[in-house]
Amino acid sequence: MTGIVIPFTPHDSPIVGRDRPRLDSTAKVTGRALYTVDIQKPGMLHAKVLRSPHAHARILSVDASAARSLAGVTAVVTREEIHGLHSYGTYVKDQPIVATDAVRYVGDVVAAVAAVDERTAFAALDLIRVEYEPMPAVFDSRAAMDPSAPAIFPEQPFAAYPEYGDGASGAAHTAHNVSYEFRYETGSESVWADCDHIFEDTFTFSRMNHMHLEPFATVAEATANEIEVWTSTQSPFPMRKELARVFGLPENDIRVNVPLLGGGFGAKNGPKTEAIAIRLSQLSAGRPVRYCMSTEEVFLTLSQHDAILTVKSGLKADGEFMARQSRVLLNGGAYADASPLVAEKAGYRMPGAYRWKRIDSVCQAVITNTVPAGAYRGFGATQATWASERQVDLIAERLGFDPLELRLKNAKDLGEEFVPGETPIDSDLKHGLNLVADAIGYRDRRRSGNRGMGVAIGIKDGGGVNKPAQARVKVTTNGDVFLNCGLVEMGQGGHSALCQIVAETLACDPGRVKYAAIDTDNTPFDQGTNAASGIAVMGHAVLQAAERVKCSVLDMAAEHLILDRQSIRLDNWHIVDAEGTTYELPPLIMDRFGGTGFEFTADGYFKVRSSSSAPLEAPCMFWEIGWAAAEVEVDPETGRVELLQLVVSGDAGKVLNKLGCRGQDEGAAVFGLAQALFEELRYKDGELLNGEALLYRVPLAEDIPQRFSSITQEQGHGAGPFGSKGMGEGGMLPIAPAIAQAIADATGAQLTSLPMTPERVYNGILHARARQGKADSNA
Amino acid sequence: MSLESPESGQETFTHNVEFELNGSPERHCVPTSATVLDLLRNSCGKQGVRASCERSVCGACTVLVDDLPVAACSTFAFDIEGARVETVEGLAAQDGTLSAQQQAFSECGGFQCGFCTSGMLMLTTGLLRQNPQPNREEIRDWISSNTCRCTGYEMILESVERAAELAGAKQQDQASE
Ligand code: FES
Ligand code: FES
């Protein structure tokens, strides 16, 4: 342990930081919580879609006449019914509502039906005749970039992307089947000449499904001129904007309502079920249409990006890191979705937690005939951390350094810049690393008995780029509070934490604060619930709104009671003056405003200031860091890995809700442990073999190691309210590399591919023995 | 839940099913192919019964049938004829007081998005009826039949331990009264 004292929750804070049940707990434990799947409307119709059986095929004809005339069917959408409507996507707008010229992956939507019930809709799908002309398909990102591979988009779809600041650049369609490319460069090329060792390694990263339990679902009520949806989205306002673009309507004619989400993990960002439900409703005379996917359909809609990462690092003989170059290929699947953003992050985060004099990073998102890939917990940083941390361990082995010491030697200090123009590192990286290493007894470990330990750090910029957030706080005459803002509750406890901030500011019982339902007509603007921005970014807007409401109440009271404004304070909807005399507010307000009552409201706003010297246009709000340490025991006969211990740690900056912080880190860590050891979408010749719940294995309680714990640090340097930072993704980043190093420590097997299945581990052990044999015979 | 409103004109065979739901008698005429999930959500209005995979894998739809946890998505409605069925709506007391399980999950943060919670609570109820003082291992085994994608399970395991503790205390109170 280093000698740093962690500032824990100060005792003068009565509400923030307390271990109290979440606001949504009663609704969730009684079954009353309302999700999009629960929305019912009178006369509601049900939608189903027809999906492509081909990975790549030209559509010659679509005949839906029989489906249209089936009793109970109210509308059918084929390419004929979407004339004049636009395609969607982040930066690259390439995904139409239903396929037009061609289908691009198995599962691509070709037609959609609305009917009085799902069975009739299914029956109608069977009546739709589609003639295809199969075309050659390509599934792997390297193969897709080969000029001889089929061009998945013969014409380049519309694209718009940011300017970027110093050292960064981006461009669409830079190479064959590449939808987007991001580059980042800093330092001089000549640094390489000063390196004593240069190593180049290639790593592969597998693909997972989000497997949020609540599927994608939308209920839409729409006419040609007006659209209202209830939908499971993380980003109500970007959704409104995208729908306005797709349907060519003004934003004020579109209303997006967002109930609770049954998990998101990044999947619920762009349009999924919305456009189809809307178009079907428009064609069904405005009747409400519900489109809820099955789990199998969710598998055919979005996934994580698999990746091939080549990393070249140069260092001095004493282990000092000097230069790093990386080339990353992300498999973006058939449509761009959020691939450009993921490419940005996978490229930008390649330096990891370490100091380099030269960085040169390129990341390309490649189009292939597979399920589209998009935002996924950790967002590009999971891929980058896997390669980056793994290579540190490979280098440590080659040069005979202890992997922990090599990390401590090169990790950036608190306050050191990540890259020029970027926010300084706001956690003590070395402290956190020592903390998790000590928690599993790393330094006293015995490596006998096929046991081993590993540690790793993952780091990502948090708070999002160009994310404005607005909030409104409203207090009734009786002191009941409404918080109005666009933060979507998808399990992270964001609503509770924000309400705690309001309660703290207004010095009132948190039970009096209610998080108002989200609808884009009434909720103040927000750029979306992602990038762990809820507490740090939205938290400031909420804090500001609450402060302003408090001021207007105090102003009013001071004037009315003829008291010195500076000497009074608010306490539990009473005014307390300097002498300690308390005045009840409700009668005072009634008196003041003519006996009918009054509501105090105020708005808050926050956005990180843009800067042209920040590579991503604005410096990040905070650094989200995950530290992990793992101990494994490997069976050398079978390659089976038993995870004996796993410790994960995140820095909350300042804890607003302990249960919430802990849950975020542990939940993320379990995603990481599954990716490390078994969870994976498996393909054979481009065909997804396990795209359904029966075949796709996600972690269960029995997969959790006996000794699994999380340490929530409160280092106190966060830029969020009360010194807080965002959480929720950091815990995922370091898990796979820590487990990989534990396997290497135990057996000598240095794995470079995920997941680390028994087969891969076993082969790794054979390989390590062969290397060892060669080394022995050379000696 | 994807499948809704199975009562379509095309469904010719129907079936009368009588059972007890959270202590009250119920009688419904449903298509023969209807599942317990369809019946509970669509005919009985029990929205707290969740559904995700509809393949008896995730356990989000877990309800108790004669004290045993069952995947409602994969059980035919006609199979619960005469049975005692319990859903999450039946856990709290009439006056809204939370049951020990509900109290424990709420206190220990045994949920995040909450989509698995109804199923986890029913699973816990079933476990505690069979074994009022389960150890960690038994809890882990039992809970492993359901999926939670959010919590990392540790806080669910603690919630179940706490539920056993609270239920035990309640029973002692009742005994001493
Ligand atoms: S919905 Fe019934 S087990 Fe998944
Ligand atoms: S709380 Fe989200 S699935 Fe369990």
Side-chain angles (χ1 to χ4, degrees), chain A residues 103-175:
Chain A
V103 287
R104 296 185 162 81
Y105 72 99
V106 173
D108 209 350
V109 178
V110 187
V113 171
V116 291
D117 57 43
E118 288 195 343
R119 277 156 213 267
T120 310
F122 275 127
L125 293 182
D126 288 344
L127 301 175
I128 299 176
R129 296 283 161 260
V130 185
E131 246 188 297
Y132 297 101
E133 178 191 313
M135 293 195 278
V138 62
F139 309 111
D140 164 273
S141 40
R142 250 190 210 141
M145 287 182 70
D146 190 298
S148 68
I152 298 172
F153 283 93
E155 277 165 45
Q156 303 298 18
F158 172 76
Y161 38 89
E163 291 280 336
Y164 295 111
D166 290 355
S169 62
H173 319 304
T174 53

Side-chain angles (χ1 to χ4, degrees), chain A residues 335-348:
Chain A
Y335 296 104
D337 198 274
S339 290
L341 292 169
V342 179
E344 218 174 83
K345 299 302 187 179
Y348 190 58

Side-chain angles (χ1 to χ4, degrees), chain A residues 21-22 25 28-35 37-38 40 46 48 117-120 209-211 213-214 261-263 265 290 292-293 295-296 376 490-491 659 662-664 666-667 670-671 679 692-694 698-702 704 706 708, chain B residues 1-8 10-11 33 38 41 47-48 50-53 55 57-58 60 88-89 98 102 105-109 111-118 121 137 140 143-144 146-155 157-158:
Chain A
R22 296 162 48 136
S25 66
K28 285 178 177 173
V29 299
T30 54
R32 284 205 300 271
L34 189 82
Y35 302 88
V37 291
D38 303 321
Q40 302 273 352
H46 295 266
K48 282 289 147 197
D117 57 43
E118 288 195 343
R119 277 156 213 267
T120 310
N209 181 259
H210 302 74
M211 205 55 195
L213 286 197
E214 178 209 31
L261 262 60
F265 316 116
R290 175 184 195 260
C292 177
M293 289 193 195
T295 299
E296 286 72 25
Y376 194 104
M490 48 191 172
L659 291 174
R662 189 180 152 201
Q664 283 296 299
E666 291 181 2
V670 170
F671 266 74
E679 189 179 329
E692 63 143 309
L694 270 173
V698 296
L700 296 170
E702 65 195 15
I704 308 308
Q706 297 284 351
F708 169 47
Chain B
M1 185 174 49
S2 167
L3 280 174
E4 289 277 329
S5 59
E7 294 90 349
S8 140
Q10 299 164 27
E11 200 78 40
S33 61
D38 298 329
R41 272 189 73 96
Q47 165 209 294
R50 304 281 164 208
S52 180
C53 71
R55 282 279 195 282
V57 179
C58 71
V88 72
E89 284 88 352
L98 297 183
Q102 291 173 310
F105 272 72
S106 164
E107 251 179 49
C108 305
F111 66 90
Q112 286 181 20
C113 79
F115 213 77
C116 69
T117 311
S118 304
L121 284 167
E137 245 354 86
R140 189 194 302 264
I143 291 296
S144 289
N146 283 17
T147 302
C148 172
R149 191 57 157 166
C150 301
T151 59
Y153 296 109
E154 199 61 27
M155 291 161 86
L157 301 180
E158 287 171 18

Side-chain angles (χ1 to χ4, degrees), chain A residues 98-359:
Chain A
V98 296
T100 52
D101 56 331
V103 287
R104 296 185 162 81
Y105 72 99
V106 173
D108 209 350
V109 178
V110 187
V113 171
V116 291
D117 57 43
E118 288 195 343
R119 277 156 213 267
T120 310
F122 275 127
L125 293 182
D126 288 344
L127 301 175
I128 299 176
R129 296 283 161 260
V130 185
E131 246 188 297
Y132 297 101
E133 178 191 313
M135 293 195 278
V138 62
F139 309 111
D140 164 273
S141 40
R142 250 190 210 141
M145 287 182 70
D146 190 298
S148 68
I152 298 172
F153 283 93
E155 277 165 45
Q156 303 298 18
F158 172 76
Y161 38 89
E163 291 280 336
Y164 295 111
D166 290 355
S169 62
H173 319 304
T174 53
H176 192 57
N177 285 327
V178 166
S179 62
Y180 193 72
E181 177 174 315
F182 174 81
R183 289 178 171 266
Y184 178 72
E185 201 182 333
T186 188
S188 157
E189 180 72 36
S190 64
V191 175
W192 290 104
D194 301 332
C195 297
D196 296 315
H197 304 282
I198 296 175
F199 299 104
E200 183 173 303
D201 300 285
T202 296
F203 306 89
T204 60
F205 185 90
S206 56
R207 196 192 267 215
M208 306 202 290
N209 181 259
H210 302 74
M211 205 55 195
H212 36 80
L213 286 197
E214 178 209 31
F216 298 118
T218 298
V219 175
E221 260 180 324
T223 61
N225 308 316
E226 259 182 318
I227 293 174
E228 180 159 16
V229 292
W230 290 259
T231 192
S232 190
T233 183
Q234 295 175 223
S235 305
F237 290 91
M239 177 64 69
R240 180 179 73 178
K241 186 172 170 196
E242 191 77 330
L243 293 177
R245 220 185 60 81
V246 169
F247 289 94
L249 288 175
E251 286 186 37
N252 63 2
D253 286 333
I254 296 177
R255 182 174 184 177
V256 178
N257 302 276
V258 184
L260 294 172
L261 262 60
F265 316 116
K268 294 175 176 173
N269 270 308
K272 300 288 179 307
T273 37
E274 292 82 357
I276 284 175
I278 290 168
R279 190 68 192 121
L280 285 169
S281 176
Q282 287 179 330
L283 296 171
S284 305
R287 279 176 72 177
V289 173
R290 175 184 195 260
Y291 176 28
C292 177
M293 289 193 195
S294 66
T295 299
E296 286 72 25
E297 291 186 278
V298 170
F299 274 96
L300 292 174
T301 303
L302 197 73
S303 74
Q304 195 185 33
H305 288 82
D306 68 52
I308 304 168
L309 309 101
T310 302
V311 190
K312 186 168 104 177
S313 298
L315 59 167
K316 290 293 224 188
D318 67 352
E320 184 192 350
F321 290 177
M322 299 289 285
R324 176 171 265 186
Q325 183 187 62
S326 62
R327 298 284 173 264
V328 178
L329 295 184
L330 295 177
N331 186 345
Y335 296 104
D337 198 274
S339 290
L341 292 169
V342 179
E344 218 174 83
K345 299 302 187 179
Y348 190 58
R349 293 161 179 171
M350 256 347 259
Y354 311 104
R355 199 177 284 139
W356 306 94
K357 294 185 169 63
R358 159 81 182 161
I359 295 159

